[in-house]
Amino acid sequence: MGAIWQDVRYGIRRLAHSPGFTLVAMLTLALGIGANTAIFSVIDAVLLKSLPYPDSSRIVLVWGVEKVERKHRSQVSATDVMDWRKQNSVFEDVATYGNWYPTLTGHGEARRVPGMLVGDGYFDILRAKPVLGRTFLAEENVDGKDNEVVLSYGFWKHDMGGDPNIVGQSLVLSGRPHTIVGVLPSGFRSLPLSLLMGPPAQIYRPVGENYDNKMRSARHLRAIARLKPGVSVAQAQADMNVIASGLEQRYPADNSNYGVNVVPMQEDIVSGLRMALLTLFAAVGFVLFIACANVANLLLARSPLRQREVALRAALGAGPGRLLRQFLTESVLLSVTGGATGILLAIFGTSWIGEIGKRVFPALNGVEVNLPALGFTLAIALLTGVLFGIAPARRAARLNISGALNEGGRGSMSMGSAWLRDVLVVSETALALVLAVGAGLMIRSVAQLFDLNPGFSPGHLLTMNLSLPDAKYPKSGDRIAFYHSVIDKITSLPGVEAVGTTSVLPLGGNFDGRTIQIFDHPRPRGQEYSVDYYAVTPEYFRAMKIPLREGRFFTDGDRENSAPVVIVSETLARTIWPGEDPIGKRIRAPGEVPLEQEPWSTVIGVVSDVKQWALDRPGTMQLYGPEWQVGFGWATLVVRAGVGPVALSSSVLNVMHSLDPDEAAFDVRTMDQIVSDSIALRRLAMDLLASFAVMAMVLALVGIYGVISYSVAQRTSEIGIRMALGAQPRDVLGLVLRHGALLAFVGVAMGVIL
């Protein structure tokens, strides 16, 4: 240990003696190590860190499988989940959950609160023990007894003032009083509903047994389960396959061709990010290699200048092992110093990634340089110190002592050293080109996404979500009348061109999938066509600028007492009636009664496809119904303005509050923001990869410059002799440039192949 400490002190003195070299090497390593630490921190937070639930590896999500449509991530019905609970032998419990956005009144201005509907056993599965009161009882998951709520710790602390006597008090949510029965612990995190989720739930309420939850075909919920000890996911899948097959035989009308997919919750949540993160991790690995190659080149360039020092140490008794250790100690000191600086860069990088990514993936909000990341940094710093220091150290250990002493300390570059440095520069140039091409392709992909036609015009379009409580608007006609009053008043505002509402907004993260029957193309139950369904007001298409291809739009005459009508998308028309005129065809879509009892609706128009799921997803079959005939409680308001839509938002909100002070619009955004958010993760990956590519190119250029400059320095005598013998400056310049151009050409050629 004394000898090692002596090597460390000597190494520090040597590095301090060459501050320029030390600073360049340290900053080069800081870039490579800092980038790796930042991406590792993201991977640790998203892929490696366990979910914040006890024994979370046993928590699984249970999805429905639509075999005909090949969908393995469909929602489930409460009725199916009840049968799963009774028949399975692999789960401790299974529970449903779903979205809920109630309007809170009586506590200041009316506002929307993100919430969640949860079935019996939900909190037991997640091992959530309340700090105050209790969670829900089994008998509270029925109509009339489901007006209890459990609060999140944050909502209780910040919105309820942390009142210790909160249990038993009442909250008015969506026009109905709800009794507070419990408060969850501070460490409990809301279960994500999707990759592109909104804010975490603050209030929980029982799912209940309303009309939709009693219908087996009403699949609008999600299911979570906890595996029994010792049961694997494969065993659970096999057991659920048997149950699904039995339900398919018992209820062919609703469960034909319907299966079950059991997925570990951690895997399900991060599935959309895993490949992107691993790709970025490979990219920063390239950057680190290039940084190591540069520092190795710098050390090799210094080696000739230290030949006499090494020769004297060897003559005084230092063996090859001791010389090797001394040089490795210096390189490790460099890498550790660079790693420490890299941590500062990583802290800045992770905060930037978290700030950009948290809007679309909440797990990124918790990204930080924690102890595992610091441990990773230390390990990678030590490893890189050995990697870039091994070649200069071995060269020093094999030095010819007598030859070095006879040269009188004049540095010279051996052919082996020059060859190694050239190989390193070629390698880093090739890797830098790979990153640059990858970043260029991703930039082009994102640019092309913006150039894609989404089927509507997002510019000058303001959107906001509305939801009217059943307690205040019990009938569908009451809700529709309110929406029409809002539309009429907003239409009269200056600068407004068109106003409409829809039950589902394209690219908005929500969806309404329904099975339909075609009059002239009947299919057996369980094999019906599946469509994206929208209930819209007549002016919706004009507000969104969705082009009409055939037929007509809805009008105010398409009321509940008139003949049922629908509008279809081009993909639906082309898929079901290829080569035929779809106008006049008849479709039956499910509504408030079973599908077989719904009247046939006549197709009156064909509109262009809209991008519902993502800009790069192909068009889906889409069906539109007039809101007077289908009814809905949830709506998204779309306002097309001739001026900036953001400036119009306050006027629109004032109109709604003038009609109903308790109505709280939420998620107020422009359509341009929604389109941008839909590819936010891809843009984040593009920005990171482009940053790494720029780092790599700069480092590769520095590497080429370093090799050429030191080559010229070592060949000063040769160049002097050439010029004394008649060589012109342009000849010397050509000699030097040919060397650099050859290295760049070989590196680029290898990069193109890679």
Side-chain angles (χ1 to χ4, degrees):
M1 290 301 298
I4 292 176
W5 178 239
Q6 184 183 28
D7 290 341
V8 169
R9 286 181 297 171
Y10 182 76
I12 293 174
R13 289 199 303 271
R14 288 295 311 177
L15 295 177
H17 186 67
S18 306
F21 160 80
T22 302
L23 182 62
V24 171
M26 183 185 70
L27 291 178
T28 300
L29 290 171
L31 284 176
I33 295 175
N36 275 267
T37 301
I39 296 302
F40 176 82
S41 298
V42 176
I43 290 177
D44 178 60
V46 176
L47 300 184
L48 303 181
K49 185 181 293 183
S50 298
L51 294 170
Y53 311 109
D55 206 5
S56 62
S57 61
R58 288 166 49 200
I59 302 176
V60 296
L61 297 182
V62 188
W63 293 100
V65 175
E66 299 178 31
K67 298 178 183 178
V68 175
E69 300 293 334
R70 296 183 179 179
K71 294 180 180 178
H72 296 271
R73 205 170 179 268
S74 295
Q75 299 189 119
V76 300
S77 68
T79 315
D80 278 344
V81 174
M82 287 175 62
D83 288 327
W84 297 349
R85 295 186 78 186
K86 296 174 184 176
Q87 300 178 33
N88 89 86
S89 60
V90 292
F91 300 135
E92 288 184 356
D93 206 346
V94 189
T96 54
Y97 66 100
N99 277 320
W100 184 43
Y101 281 89
T103 301
L104 174 66
T105 54
H107 288 266
E109 185 178 342
R111 59 190 176 90
R112 192 72 57 176
V113 179
M116 186 178 286
L117 299 172
V118 298
D120 184 33
Y122 176 85
F123 292 112
D124 292 332
I125 291 171
L126 296 179
R127 300 290 193 263
K129 303 296 182 183
V131 293
L132 291 177
R134 59 173 176 83
T135 55
F136 303 125
L137 305 175
E139 55 266 26
E140 291 171 344
N141 255 295
V142 297
D143 278 351
K145 297 182 179 180
D146 55 352
N147 288 327
E148 288 81 18
V149 291
V150 172
L151 309 181
S152 71
Y153 188 89
F155 184 81
W156 168 67
K157 201 74 175 175
H158 300 112
D159 294 76
M160 298 289 107
D163 183 0
N165 300 313
I166 195 73
V167 174
Q169 295 184 25
S170 180
L171 281 181
V172 179
L173 300 167
S174 298
R176 288 181 178 170
H178 291 70
T179 303
I180 300 171
V181 298
V183 177
L184 296 171
S186 60
F188 181 79
R189 194 174 81 188
S190 174
L191 183 65
L193 284 171
S194 68
L195 180 64
L196 301 176
M197 67 170 284
Q202 299 181 33
I203 299 179
Y204 299 81
R205 176 191 165 185
V207 168
E209 288 184 326
N210 56 41
Y211 174 77
D212 284 344
N213 291 341
K214 293 178 181 178
M215 293 178 60
R216 191 171 294 274
S217 60
R219 296 185 168 98
H220 62 98
L221 297 170
R222 306 185 185 194
I224 185 173
R226 179 177 283 272
L227 298 172
K228 290 181 178 179
V231 175
S232 67
V233 174
Q235 290 172 316
Q237 183 67 66
D239 187 70
M240 292 301 295
N241 287 342
V242 173
I243 296 174
S245 178
L247 293 177
E248 189 174 2
Q249 296 175 12
R250 188 175 177 183
Y251 306 103
D254 296 315
N255 284 57
S256 180
N257 292 300
Y258 189 80
V260 178
N261 183 24
V262 181
V263 186
M265 187 166 69
Q266 174 82 1
E267 178 183 328
D268 186 271
I269 292 173
V270 304
S271 59
L273 277 181
R274 178 178 286 108
M275 185 55 67
L277 288 178
L278 294 180
T279 301
L280 290 173
F281 199 48
V284 292
F286 283 9
V287 174
L288 183 61
F289 174 84
I290 294 170
C292 289
N294 269 357
V295 177
N297 270 330
L298 289 173
L299 290 174
L300 285 170
R302 292 182 77 225
S303 295
L305 303 177
R306 300 182 62 182
Q307 285 184 0
R308 183 170 178 79
E309 170 206 338
V310 173
L312 286 172
R313 290 168 63 86
L316 293 173
R322 182 62 188 275
L323 293 173
L324 183 69
R325 191 178 70 195
Q326 175 62 52
F327 273 74
L328 284 179
T329 299
E330 292 181 21
S331 62
V332 168
L333 281 173
L334 263 182
S335 64
V336 170
T337 307
T341 308
I343 289 174
L344 299 177
L345 297 177
I347 292 173
F348 170 78
T350 51
S351 63
W352 175 69
I353 293 171
E355 188 63 31
I356 294 177
K358 69 181 181 182
R359 292 186 295 110
V360 290
F361 193 71
L364 293 177
N365 193 28
V367 174
E368 60 180 357
V369 181
N370 53 16
L371 285 178
L374 292 176
F376 171 81
T377 304
L378 177 61
I380 203 171
L382 295 175
L383 179 62
T384 54
V386 173
L387 284 178
F388 70 70
I390 193 69
R394 291 185 62 186
R395 185 176 182 275
R398 295 176 178 176
L399 182 67
N400 184 313
I401 300 174
S402 60
L405 290 173
N406 289 334
E407 288 178 8
R410 291 176 302 165
S412 63
M413 184 187 296
S414 69
M415 290 300 295
S417 175
W419 176 85
L420 178 59
R421 296 181 63 200
D422 288 350
V423 168
L424 289 174
V425 168
V426 167
S427 300
E428 61 182 279
T429 304
L431 293 181
L433 185 70
V434 170
L435 284 183
V437 171
L441 289 173
M442 186 165 282
I443 291 171
R444 190 175 70 177
S445 295
V446 172
Q448 287 179 340
L449 284 179
F450 279 111
D451 290 338
L452 284 176
N453 178 15
F456 57 87
S457 176
H460 297 280
L461 200 59
L462 178 71
T463 73
M464 60 184 68
N465 289 323
L466 312 173
S467 182
L468 300 177
D470 291 341
K472 195 170 184 178
Y473 301 88
K475 296 180 180 179
S476 176
D478 297 334
R479 295 190 289 272
I480 294 173
F482 175 81
Y483 291 139
H484 274 268
S485 298
V486 170
I487 290 172
D488 291 341
K489 282 208 166 190
I490 294 175
T491 303
S492 64
L493 292 175
V496 173
E497 297 179 355
V499 186
T501 64
T502 178
S503 56
V504 176
L505 187 69
L507 300 176
N510 198 7
F511 66 94
D512 185 0
R514 302 195 185 188
T515 56
I516 60 173
Q517 292 180 350
I518 310 299
F519 183 79
D520 55 348
H521 289 76
R523 278 189 168 190
R525 283 295 275 150
Q527 299 183 32
E528 298 98 338
Y529 292 102
S530 179
V531 300
D532 292 329
Y533 189 75
Y534 310 83
V536 301
T537 54
E539 285 293 292
Y540 170 75
F541 297 103
R542 195 164 78 88
M544 293 287 289
K545 290 191 175 179
I546 298 175
L548 179 69
R549 302 305 186 193
E550 295 182 58
R552 68 172 177 87
F553 288 136
F554 298 133
T555 66
D556 289 333
D558 296 315
R559 296 270 176 155
E560 67 273 16
N561 53 0
S562 61
V565 292
V566 291
I567 292 175
V568 300
S569 67
E570 289 181 290
T571 294
L572 188 152
R574 186 170 54 249
T575 302
I576 298 178
W577 302 290
E580 300 181 50
D581 184 4
I583 305 300
K585 301 292 186 179
R586 290 196 285 172
I587 291 177
R588 179 184 275 160
E592 297 183 353
V593 296
L595 184 60
E596 291 76 10
Q597 300 176 22
E598 287 286 345
W600 290 101
S601 299
T602 303
V603 177
I604 61 168
V606 179
V607 296
S608 68
D609 296 331
V610 298
K611 298 293 186 180
Q612 176 59 40
W613 301 94
L615 289 175
D616 56 349
R617 291 274 294 271
T620 58
M621 293 198 293
Q622 295 159 351
L623 183 69
Y624 298 85
E627 91 292 3
W628 276 114
Q629 294 181 356
V630 298
F632 56 89
W634 172 290
T636 298
L637 183 73
V638 292
V639 182
R640 179 161 295 280
V643 295
V646 176
L648 197 64
S649 59
S650 59
S651 299
V652 172
L653 292 173
N654 288 336
V655 166
M656 282 188 296
H657 291 155
S658 68
L659 294 171
D660 186 346
D662 292 336
E663 174 57 26
F666 63 105
D667 200 15
V668 181
R669 292 186 291 172
T670 66
M671 200 65 208
D672 282 329
Q673 289 175 313
I674 293 173
V675 172
S676 179
D677 286 348
S678 71
I679 59 170
L681 287 175
R682 190 172 296 194
R683 289 177 62 192
L684 177 60
M686 176 196 73
D687 291 340
L688 289 172
L689 190 57
S691 300
F692 299 150
V694 170
M695 287 185 199
M697 293 299 291
V698 171
L699 291 175
L701 291 173
V702 170
I704 293 176
Y705 171 78
V707 167
I708 300 305
S709 63
Y710 279 106
S711 173
V712 171
Q714 296 298 320
R715 299 173 67 180
T716 301
S717 298
E718 173 197 341
I719 291 172
I721 293 173
R722 286 175 178 270
M723 297 190 72
L725 295 175
Q728 298 298 312
R730 64 176 179 272
D731 299 322
V732 175
L733 185 63
L735 179 71
V736 174
L737 289 180
R738 277 195 300 273
H739 185 200
L742 178 63
L743 295 180
F745 176 79
V746 175
V748 169
M750 290 180 60
V752 168
I753 294 171
L754 290 175

